[in-house]
């Protein structure tokens, strides 16, 4: 990819961008001067699709007009509401329709998955994670270990970057698995690390772990809607993701879960059941048939009936993903992020360093930038100039040019502020 530094180049890229029309389908927050903000925080909270409001209105009308009958009446009856996500979710994560379900929220789903897929024995009780994982994942894993009477100091193994480095080496993951795999019950990794933006080699981690007899789950919070996923073909045992980052499903949106088909009908798996995971034919006969009969597939891990309004926003967003398609999205993503990298490379190399992998196959759209001096001042001037990005004190800013709604001019403007602040 050949890039140029001038603004004209950015304008020209936007004019010929095949996805340019999608930006108008979102509400773009405003900068302090009233113009559109340069929103690079879609890895934290994705923007609102304009279609959400009308779709929510439809559900409110169905509730107003039908009351309880809305479970079976109206445009999208609530009784089967979650089923409409199976196929679109499958397209996002590379799964068959019976392998995905939208339910709860991410950390809750990680717990529910661990109830079924973390079964420590005397000889095989450990969990392997990346360092540093997102805090919620670490809390979830540590409290699961406590729940099983285990001490995280003994039973939690973390793969750290080598001394002086920021990224976890695939080689080091495989060495740990080769040396200690027989003691590891579960490998739980992020798909894309939230902090560094490193995309892990999920198929290789899965193969190496399963070869040692471990089960493998991925937290796809920063991967879903950002990079290509093929969970079924990779043979991943389970995964969970949130729908409010790249997937634009709104704050606290209902999460997603993947359970591989090989586990679909297993009756030996422990789980925390509830009526919505039960066979719908007998679900309402609970006073007559009191035994929990999980429905096959990911659906069988549901507990409660789903929050319809929350799912409605996710529906609006998934419709857009289906319209654009992950392949097209990833094409633009690679180019837009490479352009950002190119412009950062023109800046003061002593002050700025991209810590995200340089290899486009090992990252999504986020770049994490180490700012050697004056990080806080830089973030303040970016904010004043209408750039929304994420600052992780003391010295990392994370910027995510999201291909669905960000432009080449957004990227150019960001780099310009970085350059001016440096010299100012
Ligand atoms: C965003 C994020 C979460 C958030 O968890 P919730 O349960 O949705 O609040 C958890 N894990 C990772 C890796 C994340 O990036």
């Amino acid at each position: 990819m050949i890039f140029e530094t001038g603004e004209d180049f950015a304008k020209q890229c936007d004019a010929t961008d095949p996805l340019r029309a999608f930006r108008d389908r979102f509400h773009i927050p405003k900068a302090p001067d009233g113009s559109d903000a340069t929103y690079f925080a879609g890895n934290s909270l994705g923007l609102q699709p304009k279609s959400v409001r009308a779709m929510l209105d439809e559900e409110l009308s169905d509730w107003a007009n039908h009351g309880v009958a809305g479970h079976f009446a109206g445009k999208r009856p609530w009784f089967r509401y979650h089923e409409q996500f199976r196929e679109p979710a499958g397209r996002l994560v590379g799964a068959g329709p019976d392998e995905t379900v939208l339910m709860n929220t991410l950390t809750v789903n990680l717990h529910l998955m661990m109830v079924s897929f973390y079964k420590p024995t005397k000889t095989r009780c450990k969990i392997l994670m990346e360092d540093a994982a997102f805090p919620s994942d670490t809390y979830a894993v540590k409290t699961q270990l406590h729940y099983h009477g285990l001490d995280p100091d003994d039973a939690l193994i973390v793969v750290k970057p080598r001394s002086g480095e920021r990224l976890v080496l695939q080689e080091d993951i495989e060495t740990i698995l080769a040396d200690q795999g027989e003691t590891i019950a579960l490998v739980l990794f992020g798909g894309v690390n939230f902090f560094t933006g490193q995309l892990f080699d999920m198929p290789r981690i899965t193969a190496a772990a399963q070869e040692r007899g471990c089960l493998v789950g991925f937290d796809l919070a920063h991967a879903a809607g950002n990079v290509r996923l093929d969970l079924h073909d990779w043979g991943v045992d389970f995964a969970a993701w949130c729908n409010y980052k790249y997937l634009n499903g709104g704050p606290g949106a209902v999460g997603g879960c993947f359970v591989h088909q090989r586990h679909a009908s297993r009756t030996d798996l422990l789980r925390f059941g509830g009526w919505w995971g039960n066979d719908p034919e007998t679900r309402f006969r609970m006073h007559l048939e009191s035994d929990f009969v999980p429905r096959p597939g990911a659906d069988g891990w549901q507990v409660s009936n789903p929050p319809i309004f929350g799912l409605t926003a996710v529906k609006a967003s998934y419709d857009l993903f289906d319209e654009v398609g992950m392949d097209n999205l990833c094409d633009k993503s690679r180019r837009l992020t490479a352009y950002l990298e190119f412009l950062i490379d023109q800046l003061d190399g002593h002050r700025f360093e991209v810590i995200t992998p340089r290899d486009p196959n090992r990252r999504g759209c986020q770049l994490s930038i180490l700012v050697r001096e004056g990080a806080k001042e830089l973030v303040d001037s970016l904010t004043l100039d209408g750039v929304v990005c994420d600052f992780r004190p003391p010295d990392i800013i994370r910027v995510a040019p999201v291909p669905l709604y960000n432009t080449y001019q957004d990227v150019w403007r960001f780099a310009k502020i970085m350059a001016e602040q440096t010299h100012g």
Side-chain angles (χ1 to χ4, degrees), residues 161-167:
R162 291 186 183 178
S163 157
E165 295 188 18
R166 299 252 176 192
L167 306 175

PDB file of all heavy atoms in Angstrom, residues 161-167:
ATOM      1  N   PRO A 161       4.781 -11.062  28.281  1.00  0.00           N
ATOM      2  CA  PRO A 161       5.763 -10.664  27.268  1.00  0.00           C
ATOM      3  C   PRO A 161       7.160 -10.847  27.856  1.00  0.00           C
ATOM      4  O   PRO A 161       7.345 -10.787  29.068  1.00  0.00           O
ATOM      5  CB  PRO A 161       5.462  -9.181  27.044  1.00  0.00           C
ATOM      6  CG  PRO A 161       4.109  -8.941  27.622  1.00  0.00           C
ATOM      7  CD  PRO A 161       3.920  -9.931  28.709  1.00  0.00           C
ATOM      8  N   ARG A 162       8.157 -11.060  26.997  1.00  0.00           N
ATOM      9  CA  ARG A 162       9.531 -11.171  27.500  1.00  0.00           C
ATOM     10  C   ARG A 162       9.995  -9.826  28.043  1.00  0.00           C
ATOM     11  O   ARG A 162       9.436  -8.786  27.700  1.00  0.00           O
ATOM     12  CB  ARG A 162      10.456 -11.622  26.374  1.00  0.00           C
ATOM     13  CG  ARG A 162      10.162 -13.050  25.995  1.00  0.00           C
ATOM     14  CD  ARG A 162      11.145 -13.577  24.991  1.00  0.00           C
ATOM     15  NE  ARG A 162      10.757 -14.947  24.624  1.00  0.00           N
ATOM     16  CZ  ARG A 162      11.390 -15.683  23.721  1.00  0.00           C
ATOM     17  NH1 ARG A 162      12.429 -15.176  23.086  1.00  0.00           N
ATOM     18  NH2 ARG A 162      10.981 -16.902  23.462  1.00  0.00           N
ATOM     19  N   SER A 163      11.000  -9.876  28.885  1.00  0.00           N
ATOM     20  CA  SER A 163      11.487  -8.677  29.556  1.00  0.00           C
ATOM     21  C   SER A 163      11.808  -7.569  28.545  1.00  0.00           C
ATOM     22  O   SER A 163      12.504  -7.803  27.555  1.00  0.00           O
ATOM     23  CB  SER A 163      12.714  -9.069  30.376  1.00  0.00           C
ATOM     24  OG  SER A 163      13.504  -7.946  30.609  1.00  0.00           O
ATOM     25  N   GLY A 164      11.249  -6.385  28.804  1.00  0.00           N
ATOM     26  CA  GLY A 164      11.480  -5.250  27.911  1.00  0.00           C
ATOM     27  C   GLY A 164      10.582  -5.244  26.679  1.00  0.00           C
ATOM     28  O   GLY A 164      10.659  -4.341  25.866  1.00  0.00           O
ATOM     29  N   GLU A 165       9.739  -6.271  26.540  1.00  0.00           N
ATOM     30  CA  GLU A 165       8.842  -6.311  25.383  1.00  0.00           C
ATOM     31  C   GLU A 165       7.395  -6.102  25.806  1.00  0.00           C
ATOM     32  O   GLU A 165       7.075  -6.140  26.984  1.00  0.00           O
ATOM     33  CB  GLU A 165       9.010  -7.656  24.647  1.00  0.00           C
ATOM     34  CG  GLU A 165      10.408  -7.791  24.062  1.00  0.00           C
ATOM     35  CD  GLU A 165      10.551  -9.002  23.162  1.00  0.00           C
ATOM     36  OE1 GLU A 165       9.525  -9.545  22.724  1.00  0.00           O
ATOM     37  OE2 GLU A 165      11.710  -9.386  22.910  1.00  0.00           O
ATOM     38  N   ARG A 166       6.544  -5.886  24.798  1.00  0.00           N
ATOM     39  CA  ARG A 166       5.144  -5.570  25.107  1.00  0.00           C
ATOM     40  C   ARG A 166       4.195  -6.654  24.634  1.00  0.00           C
ATOM     41  O   ARG A 166       3.064  -6.733  25.094  1.00  0.00           O
ATOM     42  CB  ARG A 166       4.742  -4.280  24.389  1.00  0.00           C
ATOM     43  CG  ARG A 166       5.561  -3.087  24.816  1.00  0.00           C
ATOM     44  CD  ARG A 166       4.730  -2.176  25.661  1.00  0.00           C
ATOM     45  NE  ARG A 166       5.509  -1.063  26.177  1.00  0.00           N
ATOM     46  CZ  ARG A 166       5.054  -0.264  27.127  1.00  0.00           C
ATOM     47  NH1 ARG A 166       3.859  -0.461  27.635  1.00  0.00           N
ATOM     48  NH2 ARG A 166       5.785   0.725  27.570  1.00  0.00           N
ATOM     49  N   LEU A 167       4.636  -7.446  23.664  1.00  0.00           N
ATOM     50  CA  LEU A 167       3.733  -8.419  23.051  1.00  0.00           C
ATOM     51  C   LEU A 167       4.068  -9.830  23.535  1.00  0.00           C
ATOM     52  O   LEU A 167       5.226 -10.139  23.837  1.00  0.00           O
ATOM     53  CB  LEU A 167       3.834  -8.348  21.520  1.00  0.00           C
ATOM     54  CG  LEU A 167       3.609  -6.956  20.922  1.00  0.00           C
ATOM     55  CD1 LEU A 167       3.861  -6.967  19.422  1.00  0.00           C
ATOM     56  CD2 LEU A 167       2.185  -6.473  21.217  1.00  0.00           C
TER      57      LEU A 167
END
